[in-house]
Amino acid sequence: MKQLCREGVVDFVANNNLFISGGAGTGKTYLIKELAEKLSSNRVVYVVAPTAQAAQNVLGRTLNSFFHLPPKIITSADAQKIVISSQSLREKLALVDYLIVDEVSMVLPSTLDAIDIMLRTAREDNTPLGGVRIILCGDMAQLPPVVQNTKQNGDLSEREVLTRVMGYKKPDIRFAHVWGDLNMARLELQHPYRQQSDSEYAHSLGIIRRWLIEGNDDELSQAITYFNDTCLGKSVDNPISLCMTRKDATRINQEALYALPGREVAFEYEGGIFPKGTRAAEMLVLKNGMKVIFISNDPDHQFRNGDTGTIQAMNESEIVVKLSSNEVIEVQRFRYSDTQYRIVNGKLISTEANTVFQFPILPCEAITVHACQGLTLDIVRVYGEPFESGQMYTAISRTKNSQNLSLASRLFSNSFLVQ
């Protein structure tokens, strides 16, 4: 895989595919937003990601919604059927010049192969991806795809389907059958913007990442000792608990809600059919004093996706939130919607559908690690035992410095590489 420098990326991707990698907080998301903006001045560019949170971070759409993919493993036959049965999808894909995919560590190899088949079919072009240039972005040391290992009613598990039936060595996008034909150049971002004020923290994260990716464990014990000595059992003010399971996160949020004095206030969304591609709550239940996280970027720059705060007051039309910066702001409902695409006179037109209005916040005494990939968080407490590789590394890399990171449990090497 050819290495590339950051400068000159826009010119380079005119004729090449690119894989942008780098550790947590090295500016990957910022770079692909910049690329999308520059390339879209004279080309059709789509930005997609595997989850709603990741898509929202890059102002894009989820892979499933964009390619009409159902929530299951997609076979080549599925891909053919989907693209052949939808004229609007074929017309949309025929116009694509660039496809940017963020957080590719969470994308299955079967999904990339399905995209390859759909693009070749829609564009009537049998070259890889139907001639579309692709920019993949992600840190392969972070969260892998969610793959079920358990069998249902005696059938094959998802992992067995991928490895035994579909022939993938691992559920890793780099083992897609089309991968070798893409001739990906690689841009490795190395400067830790998120942790640039804490060099020892950034250095220790880098050691763990190198071990996860390259197997180099020369300094691994030193890095693990650093985190245990610095963060284990530490008391931090108003942390977000990053949980390995949704069950733990739900329990902690419910306990926090019940523990607060005062009455609950429920905010139901306003509008018609609730859109599928949003993280906003259909029914948002809050109390004064509750900790919340913002799930959207404010166009007036009062807050950004991932910022946290505490509820100060509420009424039907606005919620008063005290940010972690101590600034007090008034928050109104945001517009949320699905996006529909159609071709009019040979041009791609996007329209909003299922528009609703809801406050752009969620309770955040606790969130799952899967919901935080790509985010920078103020103060974090890592809770629970990981059940897959990438979870712990993702969790401990969310803050800007180790002073704002607390570990509920001691770390070991198998905390990072789960068998």
Side-chain angles (χ1 to χ4, degrees), residues 139-255:
D139 179 5
M140 302 310 293
Q142 294 192 46
L143 293 170
V146 176
V147 179
Q148 299 297 325
N149 293 311
T150 55
K151 299 180 181 181
Q152 301 293 331
N153 301 321
D155 294 332
L156 294 171
S157 68
E158 289 183 347
R159 187 173 295 273
E160 289 173 325
V161 170
L162 288 165
T163 56
R164 290 172 51 185
V165 179
M166 302 181 74
Y168 296 111
K169 184 177 179 181
K170 293 174 63 178
D172 179 321
I173 192 172
R174 294 169 295 181
F175 290 92
H177 303 315
V178 73
W179 183 270
D181 298 326
L182 296 177
N183 298 316
M184 305 288 295
R186 181 169 180 172
L187 172 60
E188 181 78 13
L189 304 182
Q190 298 180 341
H191 182 73
Y193 292 99
R194 182 180 295 150
Q195 291 91 19
Q196 61 185 347
S197 64
D198 191 336
S199 58
E200 190 172 7
Y201 178 30
H203 178 68
S204 298
L205 285 173
I207 291 171
I208 293 171
R209 181 175 183 268
R210 284 194 296 276
W211 174 60
L212 289 171
I213 292 178
E214 303 170 7
N216 183 347
D217 63 355
D218 291 347
E219 301 176 279
L220 180 62
S221 61
Q222 172 187 331
I224 292 176
T225 298
Y226 164 79
F227 280 105
N228 285 328
D229 289 349
T230 306
C231 305
L232 180 62
K234 182 170 60 181
S235 176
V236 290
D237 293 332
N238 297 317
I240 293 177
S241 290
L242 292 188
C243 299
M244 303 299 161
T245 66
R246 187 177 300 171
K247 181 179 179 181
D248 281 339
T250 300
R251 176 181 57 79
I252 292 172
N253 281 324
Q254 288 292 342
E255 290 173 353

Side-chain angles (χ1 to χ4, degrees), residues 96-369:
V96 177
D97 294 309
Y98 291 95
L99 181 66
I100 300 177
V101 188
D102 196 21
E103 302 293 3
V104 294
S105 71
M106 294 192 283
V107 178
L108 287 169
S110 54
T111 302
L112 182 59
D113 283 331
I115 290 170
D116 175 50
I117 291 170
M118 296 170 79
L119 286 169
R120 292 184 194 223
T121 302
R123 300 167 68 84
E124 300 180 351
D125 182 339
N126 203 35
T127 59
L129 299 175
V132 171
R133 291 295 170 205
I134 193 167
I135 300 170
L136 303 179
C137 184
D139 179 5
M140 302 310 293
Q142 294 192 46
L143 293 170
V146 176
V147 179
Q148 299 297 325
N149 293 311
T150 55
K151 299 180 181 181
Q152 301 293 331
N153 301 321
D155 294 332
L156 294 171
S157 68
E158 289 183 347
R159 187 173 295 273
E160 289 173 325
V161 170
L162 288 165
T163 56
R164 290 172 51 185
V165 179
M166 302 181 74
Y168 296 111
K169 184 177 179 181
K170 293 174 63 178
D172 179 321
I173 192 172
R174 294 169 295 181
F175 290 92
H177 303 315
V178 73
W179 183 270
D181 298 326
L182 296 177
N183 298 316
M184 305 288 295
R186 181 169 180 172
L187 172 60
E188 181 78 13
L189 304 182
Q190 298 180 341
H191 182 73
Y193 292 99
R194 182 180 295 150
Q195 291 91 19
Q196 61 185 347
S197 64
D198 191 336
S199 58
E200 190 172 7
Y201 178 30
H203 178 68
S204 298
L205 285 173
I207 291 171
I208 293 171
R209 181 175 183 268
R210 284 194 296 276
W211 174 60
L212 289 171
I213 292 178
E214 303 170 7
N216 183 347
D217 63 355
D218 291 347
E219 301 176 279
L220 180 62
S221 61
Q222 172 187 331
I224 292 176
T225 298
Y226 164 79
F227 280 105
N228 285 328
D229 289 349
T230 306
C231 305
L232 180 62
K234 182 170 60 181
S235 176
V236 290
D237 293 332
N238 297 317
I240 293 177
S241 290
L242 292 188
C243 299
M244 303 299 161
T245 66
R246 187 177 300 171
K247 181 179 179 181
D248 281 339
T250 300
R251 176 181 57 79
I252 292 172
N253 281 324
Q254 288 292 342
E255 290 173 353
L257 178 66
Y258 296 148
L260 286 170
R263 65 183 182 89
E264 298 178 3
V265 180
F267 297 95
E268 188 173 7
Y269 78 92
E270 297 176 352
I273 299 173
F274 195 78
K276 297 178 180 179
T278 177
R279 290 182 63 218
E282 292 187 48
M283 181 69 74
L284 181 63
V285 181
L286 303 172
K287 280 184 179 180
N288 284 332
M290 175 177 280
K291 187 185 305 176
V292 293
I293 187 169
F294 286 89
I295 59 171
S296 299
N297 293 307
D298 179 28
D300 295 326
H301 308 294
Q302 289 191 103
F303 55 83
R304 57 185 172 82
N305 184 21
D307 281 349
T308 58
T310 305
I311 301 293
Q312 303 293 296
M314 297 174 280
N315 60 46
E316 290 185 1
S317 60
E318 66 180 26
I319 298 174
V320 179
V321 179
K322 183 179 181 180
L323 299 176
S324 57
S325 64
N326 290 324
E327 181 183 1
V328 177
I329 62 173
E330 296 173 350
V331 182
Q332 285 79 39
R333 294 179 189 260
F334 267 39
R335 172 198 293 264
Y336 293 98
S337 63
D338 289 325
T339 304
Q340 295 181 342
Y341 295 89
R342 56 194 175 93
I343 306 297
V344 178
N345 297 326
K347 293 184 178 181
L348 185 68
I349 304 297
S350 62
T351 57
E352 288 186 349
N354 303 331
T355 298
V356 300
F357 297 86
Q358 182 57 292
F359 291 101
I361 56 177
L362 291 174
C364 79
E365 191 70 30
I367 61 175
T368 65
V369 177

Side-chain angles (χ1 to χ4, degrees), residues 381-395:
R381 175 178 179 262
V382 178
Y383 180 89
E385 297 299 323
F387 58 85
E388 61 185 6
S389 299
Q391 276 187 302
M392 187 59 73
Y393 169 72
T394 301

